[in-house]
Amino acid sequence: MEELISSPNTYASLQLSFKEGFIILFYAFLAGFLIRFLYIRFSNSFSSKSAYANTLLMVTVCVASLIAVVKSSLALSLGLVGALSVVRFRTAVKEPYTLSFILFSVCLGIAIGAGQNMFALSVGIVGTFISIYANQRALKGNKKTAKNNEVDTLSISADNDEAIFKALEVASFSVKTYSIKNISSNPNSECLATVGVYIESNEILKKIIKEISKQPGIKNVTFYNSPV
């Protein structure tokens, strides 16, 4: 152990050839471009996808370059530990899913920079399939949620609020669920109510409007395709 520490070759740097450096940068660029495409195509971010995707491309190339240089020298690797200990990143990641792309980028950069090209290829393939799978699952979940929570709006005008409540009691046998969003009543004018309803078909909608309209005191029933 003492001979290893005292050896003059312990901290010697291995020169990185131009060919090796070019290959690492080329593979890192391809991997970064892949991550950039996956982020733009499959991320659920509401911010600028293109700008953040370009950042991921740069991170992949930078990490690969850093690892390629550091792996050739023990002294540089020890110095890197000290240098990174004073680096602080203050940028908040709003979407948790975005963090996975950052880690994906760093993992590919480290693997390529360390010369583990087959492992980097495996990580890229697995990461691609995970991105596609997660995106498809999210789309199905959003469609299911939208279908189960699709709420339309009825605007009802009547002589008084009692007429509206009675009409809704009658219509409750046809509508799956409803909720009163707001109601305004003035003795000198007609009473207005906005009701959120879940309607499964046009036939049910016609039936609800017909049942409410024929109730005493109801003046008008208006249907909207989204809540107000």
Side-chain angles (χ1 to χ4, degrees):
M1 184 66 179
E2 293 179 358
E3 293 179 359
L4 179 62
I5 296 176
S6 60
S7 174
N9 296 325
T10 301
Y11 298 101
S13 298
L14 299 176
Q15 293 296 325
L16 192 65
S17 67
F18 175 80
K19 181 180 179 181
E20 293 175 340
F22 178 80
I23 292 175
I24 289 174
L25 291 176
F26 179 72
Y27 286 162
F29 175 79
L30 292 181
F33 194 80
L34 171 65
I35 298 174
R36 181 183 184 276
F37 169 77
L38 292 175
Y39 183 80
I40 294 176
R41 179 66 179 81
F42 299 114
S43 72
N44 55 6
S45 175
F46 295 100
S47 56
S48 177
K49 291 186 178 182
S50 179
Y52 206 94
N54 292 334
T55 302
L56 293 175
L57 172 60
M58 287 296 298
V59 168
T60 307
V61 174
C62 291
V63 171
S65 303
L66 182 64
I67 296 300
V69 173
V70 168
K71 74 174 184 179
S72 63
S73 173
L74 178 60
L76 288 175
S77 62
L78 294 176
L80 177 65
V81 175
L84 293 182
S85 64
V86 298
V87 176
R88 297 291 185 270
F89 297 95
R90 300 295 185 184
T91 303
V93 179
K94 297 180 180 179
E95 294 84 13
Y97 189 49
T98 302
L99 184 60
S100 65
F101 282 94
I102 299 175
L103 295 177
F104 187 26
S105 176
V106 172
C107 288
L108 280 179
I110 292 176
I112 294 173
Q116 304 296 327
N117 296 327
M118 291 304 299
F119 179 73
L121 179 61
S122 301
V123 172
I125 294 174
V126 172
T128 300
F129 278 108
I130 291 176
S131 300
I132 297 174
Y133 173 77
N135 180 261
Q136 294 298 322
R137 292 287 296 179
L139 289 177
K140 290 182 180 179
N142 291 338
K143 289 181 180 179
K144 184 177 180 181
T145 301
K147 183 177 180 181
N148 293 336
N149 297 289
E150 186 176 358
V151 178
D152 297 301
T153 303
L154 289 178
S155 179
I156 307 172
S157 60
D159 293 332
N160 51 64
D161 55 359
E162 289 294 335
I164 293 178
F165 288 123
K166 289 181 180 179
L168 290 176
E169 289 179 3
V170 174
S172 63
F173 293 99
S174 300
V175 65
K176 187 174 182 180
T177 181
Y178 74 90
S179 61
I180 299 177
K181 302 297 183 180
N182 59 70
I183 185 169
S184 60
S185 180
N186 192 320
N188 300 324
S189 62
E190 63 184 14
C191 180
L192 298 175
T194 303
V195 183
V197 293
Y198 178 85
I199 299 174
E200 296 178 334
S201 65
N202 291 333
E203 295 298 326
I204 295 178
L205 173 61
K206 293 178 182 178
K207 186 177 180 180
I208 293 173
I209 294 178
K210 183 178 180 180
E211 290 179 352
I212 295 178
S213 299
K214 69 180 182 181
Q215 297 303 313
I218 300 298
K219 292 184 176 181
N220 184 44
V221 179
T222 305
F223 173 76
Y224 298 94
N225 61 351
S226 62
V228 294

